């Protein structure tokens, strides 16, 4: 596998992993990569130690309490009470006119329409894989992963135009959507999550997206860029 394809593949795997973390309760398979000291070391090297500090704390103190993690997931992302952190872009960004008032914090706004159009432009039906609104953070991160995989495939073919198109769509997704609201979501997670797992996921997600944006602005950096939890051991070994 070429260097360009390997790094694009690794980035895609990382974003798909983060997408799954936001879309599903954390079972043993999902948590396992973050209990691996080598994975955390590699992520720290790529994104900075601050990005993995909470995940290290989680690893050091975790005793197999998956039921507790499930309850934390439900409280943060499913049940709209108490610690709930809404995972939809429109709630953070859009305004609706209701009667003679401008109301924020509602679902299905212009951001939802815009991200769905971006999915369609790339010919990716990500939104049909999960019963969620198109602007759910997990679907947007999954779409970024899909675009990285498209880049990897184009790089393997030697298709420079395909690589450029995939990276162009990645830039648009980052700047027009993800970076415009996910840092706010991550800030709320850091404030409201009762344990280090989701605080750590928030820190890692925000660091990875900012690193991705910087790398896309300097394309040569991409070949030494992000690494996925599932491949960190093999990439460094």
């Amino acid at each position: 596998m070429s260097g360009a394809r390997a790094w694009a593949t690794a980035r895609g795997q990382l974003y798909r992993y983060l997408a799954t973390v936001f879309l599903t309760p954390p079972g043993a398979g999902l948590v396992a990569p973050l209990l691996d000291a080598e994975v955390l070391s590699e992520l720290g090297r790529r994104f900075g130690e601050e990005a993995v500090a909470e995940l290290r704390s989680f690893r050091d103190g975790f005793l197999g309490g998956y039921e507790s993690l499930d309850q934390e997931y439900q409280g943060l992302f499913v049940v709209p009470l108490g610690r709930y952190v809404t995972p939809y872009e429109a709630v953070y960004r859009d305004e609706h006119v209701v009667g003679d008032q401008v109301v924020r914090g509602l679902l299905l706004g212009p951001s939802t329409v815009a991200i769905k159009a971006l999915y369609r432009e790339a010919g990716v039906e990500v939104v049909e894989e999960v019963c969620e609104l198109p602007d759910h953070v997990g679907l947007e991160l999954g779409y970024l992963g899909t675009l990285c995989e498209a880049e990897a495939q184009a790089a393997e073919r030697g298709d420079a135009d395909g690589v450029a198109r995939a990276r162009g769509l990645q830039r648009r997704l980052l700047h027009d959507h993800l970076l415009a609201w996910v840092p706010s979501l991550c800030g709320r997670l850091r404030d409201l999550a009762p344990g280090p797992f989701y605080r750590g996921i928030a820190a890692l997600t925000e660091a990875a997206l900012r690193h991705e944006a910087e790398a896309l602005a300097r394309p040569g950096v991409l070949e030494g860029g992000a690494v996925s939890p599932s491949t960190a051991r093999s990439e460094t070994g």
Side-chain angles (χ1 to χ4, degrees):
M1 183 181 294
S2 69
R5 181 185 177 187
W7 283 116
T9 298
R11 286 161 42 230
Q13 289 174 339
L14 173 62
Y15 296 122
R16 282 196 172 277
Y17 175 81
L18 291 173
T20 304
V21 171
F22 281 105
L23 285 166
T24 60
L30 192 63
V31 172
L34 301 180
L35 298 177
D36 187 321
E38 291 185 28
V39 169
L40 293 181
S41 293
E42 179 65 7
L43 291 172
R45 186 174 75 84
R46 296 292 173 186
F47 303 121
E49 284 301 313
E50 186 176 348
V52 296
E54 290 280 9
L55 292 175
R56 289 190 189 281
S57 177
F58 167 75
R59 175 185 177 274
D60 292 344
F62 186 62
L63 299 176
Y66 293 104
E67 182 177 348
S68 177
L69 280 180
D70 179 80
Q71 291 173 353
E72 190 171 344
Y73 176 87
Q74 300 298 328
L76 288 169
F77 301 118
V78 179
V79 182
L81 297 170
R83 298 181 185 276
Y84 181 67
V85 178
T86 180
Y88 303 103
E89 179 179 357
V91 173
Y92 292 81
R93 301 188 64 195
D94 296 343
E95 297 179 345
H96 298 253
V97 177
V98 180
D100 60 353
Q101 295 185 334
V102 176
V103 180
R104 296 182 62 86
L106 300 180
L107 298 172
L108 295 170
S111 294
T112 315
V113 176
I115 192 64
K116 190 172 183 179
L118 192 57
Y119 295 155
R120 189 180 300 116
E121 181 179 342
V124 176
E125 296 297 336
V126 177
V127 294
E128 294 185 0
E129 295 179 2
V130 179
C131 294
E132 274 294 354
L133 295 174
D135 59 339
H136 188 287
V137 61
L139 292 180
E140 293 193 13
L141 288 168
Y143 178 45
L144 182 57
T146 297
L147 291 175
C148 289
E149 291 165 5
E151 177 189 335
Q153 293 167 7
E156 183 66 12
R157 297 192 304 268
D159 179 2
D161 289 341
V163 169
R165 180 173 185 273
R167 290 182 178 178
L169 288 167
Q170 290 165 34
R171 291 186 188 96
R172 287 171 58 191
L173 176 60
L174 281 163
H175 293 290
D176 295 350
H177 294 279
L178 286 164
L179 288 177
W181 73 282
V182 172
S184 295
L185 178 150
C186 290
R188 287 180 57 79
L189 269 181
R190 286 193 293 271
D191 290 341
L192 295 174
F197 181 79
Y198 285 106
R199 293 198 298 266
I201 289 298
L204 177 60
T205 299
E206 188 170 3
L209 292 177
R210 294 196 185 283
H211 181 277
E212 184 78 6
E214 293 170 2
L216 285 166
R218 296 178 288 126
V221 176
L222 286 170
E223 296 189 16
V227 67
S228 76
S230 63
T231 60
R233 184 188 297 274
S234 62
E235 290 293 333
T236 57

